């Protein structure tokens, strides 16, 4: 296995600067505020060489042009070393081409132009490095979230996070970073989660509340018990995602790279032909002129601006997304977002708060209410459905006991739950709690038209209705309401303005689904879906828009229960995943908060990203074509070719960096 030290050794041997970042270090070395001494001195000697043009009557000034040789000797060694390292690996890059151009200029005794080439190139590298610094710093701020040490609450000992076991109690002082995911067991404080979620408002934490690694304790002393190992913590998963995103190449980037691999060798072959063939049948002056054009061709042969046009945009877009509390797993998914035509959203916990409130739980006229509550509470206490907890709390708030003597509990997919209550008693009963679909299957609603009318009224008010039966007899009805998120309607409206068709996926009946669709400003609602039906709906949606201008489909869910649908979509988006490591692994993009306003931000960023890539490619190709035309008509010079190449590269970089100022 390669060690960091061995990799650094190989890099340095190849003239590439390398250093191992220690685990205790949280940032990269700062970018130099000015060029290196040799570049600045090279520029000074080049300026001296330009004085020879003012020789006039003073012929001695002509000798100043030879200071250009010193300018070349100062600036070219790093370029030659990198060129040699690339040639050894059979790779023709900008360093190889610039080296050949400078050597060719010197062979023609055009030292001034050679100095112009190498100085401009060295200066452009520094400018590019400076330009990229901001994007790197933004990405680095995410990568540095992962804490390296934790403090044990019992002894005060500071230990590496890797050795901390699940269940260990740690302490965190005001201003310190929380090392691992956990549950507060002592103290009350506010925690700054902006590094993870992008939201600046501190969150109050008390005993029983969850805390996440990478966040910062603001005010008071806290103790918390860990619930995850270091490698499974929120910060570790976040860092892993960002690292993976930077390594991934999008289809556009892969296409550009393939083109560059063909373009550069072809241009080099043309340049070699231009430099050598004319000597066989042209005059010396003509051959010399063609040799100079060949050097200009060598410079134009480098597709630097084209190659960097795509990755610079992705780096800046990923950095901007991270600042908004959005993690995207690479440029591929940014391209998908740019072509997004439809977005399917799970209702419960995504469009809604996921916090149900019981608005009605009553027996039919002749039934005992206390018994009804007892049966419902006993059965729902065994369920994991989001509605179960509020139903149990409602029953307990009424002062009704919940039986522990429950057996044969069963979840009826897409319908409800059933169980035997009082199995050990002399009077066991089979209790069923389910939806309209189950009630129709059992014939209850057909037997009770009045109950059917009541169900319809609840559903028109966007309520979720449950029917309760004991020993196959309908005895009661309940209704719970889930509150739509405050920002849902605005978020869906903004998506509609972006021409993204929105579809709500829910297991609710059609009446309730339609009521919620209207409140949420959704384009369409698919109701009465079983869990497996969501994937079918995604497949149908993809097929229906496959020939549209934007044929891609996204799915938004919690990243766990919606895993199949997330996988079926072109891009799966997990929402509110700041504390869910599994969601980070499942989805292609992760919204670290539950704020739906991040969805239009995500789509707009993807489209802006695609626009910048097109602009950069157009700029890079246009300047190459212009320079080739100028060279063909003998209007170009070597320094102009270099200036066009490095200038275009800088324009592309700065254009991509405008994404760092992206505003919604």
């Amino acid at each position: 296995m390669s060690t960091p030290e061995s990799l650094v050794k190989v890099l340095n041997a190849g003239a590439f600067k390398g250093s191992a970042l220690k685990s205790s270090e949280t940032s990269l070395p700062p970018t130099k505020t000015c060029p290196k001494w040799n570049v600045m001195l090279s520029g000074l000697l080049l300026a001296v060489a330009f004085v020879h043009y003012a020789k006039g009557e003073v012929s001695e000034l002509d000798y100043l042009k030879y200071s250009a040789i010193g300018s070349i000797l100062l600036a070219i060694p790093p370029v030659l070393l990198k060129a040699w390292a690339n040639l050894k690996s059979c790779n023709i890059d900008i360093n190889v081409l610039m080296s050949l151009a400078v050597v060719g200029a010197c062979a023609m005794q055009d030292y001034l132009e050679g100095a112009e080439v190498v100085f401009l190139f060295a200066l452009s590298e520094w400018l590019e490095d400076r330009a990229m610094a901001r994007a790197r710093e933004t990405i680095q701020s995410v990568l540095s979230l992962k804490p390296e040490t934790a403090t044990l609450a019992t002894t005060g000992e500071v230990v590496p996070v890797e050795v901390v076991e699940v269940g260990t109690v740690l302490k965190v002082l005001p201003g310190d970073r929380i090392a691992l995911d956990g549950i507060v067991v002592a103290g009350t404080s506010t925690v700054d989660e902006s590094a993870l979620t992008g939201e600046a408002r501190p969150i109050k934490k008390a005993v029983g509340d969850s805390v996440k690694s990478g966040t910062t304790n603001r005010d008071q002393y806290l103790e918390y018990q860990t619930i995850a190992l270091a490698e499974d913590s929120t910060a570790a998963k976040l860092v892993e995602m960002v690292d993976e995103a930077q390594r991934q190449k999008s289809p556009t980037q892969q296409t550009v790279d393939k083109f560059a691999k063909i373009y550069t060798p072809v241009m080099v072959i043309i340049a070699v032909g231009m430099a050598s063939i004319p000597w066989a049948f042209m005059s010396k002056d003509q051959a010399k002129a063609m040799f100079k054009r060949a050097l200009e061709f060598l410079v134009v042969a480098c597709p630097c601006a084209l190659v960097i046009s795509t990755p610079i945009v992705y780096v800046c877009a990923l950095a901007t997304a991270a600042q908004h509390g959005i993690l995207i797993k690479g440029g591929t998914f940014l391209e998908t977002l740019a072509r997004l035509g439809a977005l399917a959203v799970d209702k419960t916990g995504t469009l809604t708060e996921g916090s149900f409130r019981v608005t009605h739980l009553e027996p039919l006229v002749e039934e005992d209410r206390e018994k009804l509550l007892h049966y419902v509470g006993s059965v729902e206490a065994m369920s994991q459905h989001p509605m179960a907890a509020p139903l149990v709390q409602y029953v307990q708030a009424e002062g009704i006991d919940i039986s522990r003597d429950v057996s044969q509990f069963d979840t009826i997919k897409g319908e409800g739950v059933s169980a035997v209550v009082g199995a050990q008693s002399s009077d066991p009963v089979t209790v069923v709690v389910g939806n309209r679909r189950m009630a129709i299957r059992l014939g209850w609603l057909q037997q009770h038209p009045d109950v059917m009318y009541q169900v319809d009224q609840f559903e028109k008010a966007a309520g979720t209705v449950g029917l309760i039966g004991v020993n196959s007899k309908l005895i009661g009805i309940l209704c719970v309401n889930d509150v739509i998120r405050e920002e849902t309607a605005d978020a869906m409206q903004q998506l509609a303005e972006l021409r993204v068709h929105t579809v709500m996926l829910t297991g609710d009946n059609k009446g309730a689904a339609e009521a919620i669709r209207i409140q949420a400003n959704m384009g369409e609602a698919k109701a009465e879906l079983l869990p497996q039906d969501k994937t079918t709906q995604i497949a149908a949606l993809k097929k229906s828009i496959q020939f549209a201008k934007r044929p891609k489909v996204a799915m938004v869910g919690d990243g766990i229960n919606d895993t199949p649908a997330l996988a079926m979509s072109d891009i799966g988006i997990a929402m509110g995943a700041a504390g869910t490591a599994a969601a980070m692994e499942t989805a292609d993009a992760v919204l670290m908060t539950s704020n739906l306003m991040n969805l239009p931000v995500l789509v707009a960023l993807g489209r802006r990203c695609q626009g910048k890539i097109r602009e950069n490619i157009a700029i890079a190709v246009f300047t190459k074509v212009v320079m080739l035309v100028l060279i063909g008509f003998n209007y170009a010079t070597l320094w102009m070719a270099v200036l066009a190449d490095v200038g275009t590269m800088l324009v592309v970089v700065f254009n991509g960096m405008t994404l760092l100022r992206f505003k919604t």
Side-chain angles (χ1 to χ4, degrees), residues 306-345:
L306 186 62
V307 170
I308 203 173
S309 63
T310 304
I312 180 61
V313 171
Y314 289 145
V315 168
C316 293
L318 293 172
T320 297
Q323 289 179 323
H324 284 83
I326 304 170
L327 298 179
I328 306 169
K329 292 184 178 178
T332 298
F333 303 110
L334 280 167
E335 290 190 10
T336 301
L337 285 166
R339 303 178 65 202
L340 192 67
L343 185 140
V345 187

Side-chain angles (χ1 to χ4, degrees), residues 107 147 178 220 247 311 314 337 350 357 377 414 506 513 553 565 595-596 598 628:
I178 293 169
Q220 305 293 327
R247 291 196 305 267
Y314 289 145
L337 285 166
T350 305
R357 180 171 56 88
T506 178
V553 175
N595 189 343
L596 286 168
N598 277 330
L628 287 172

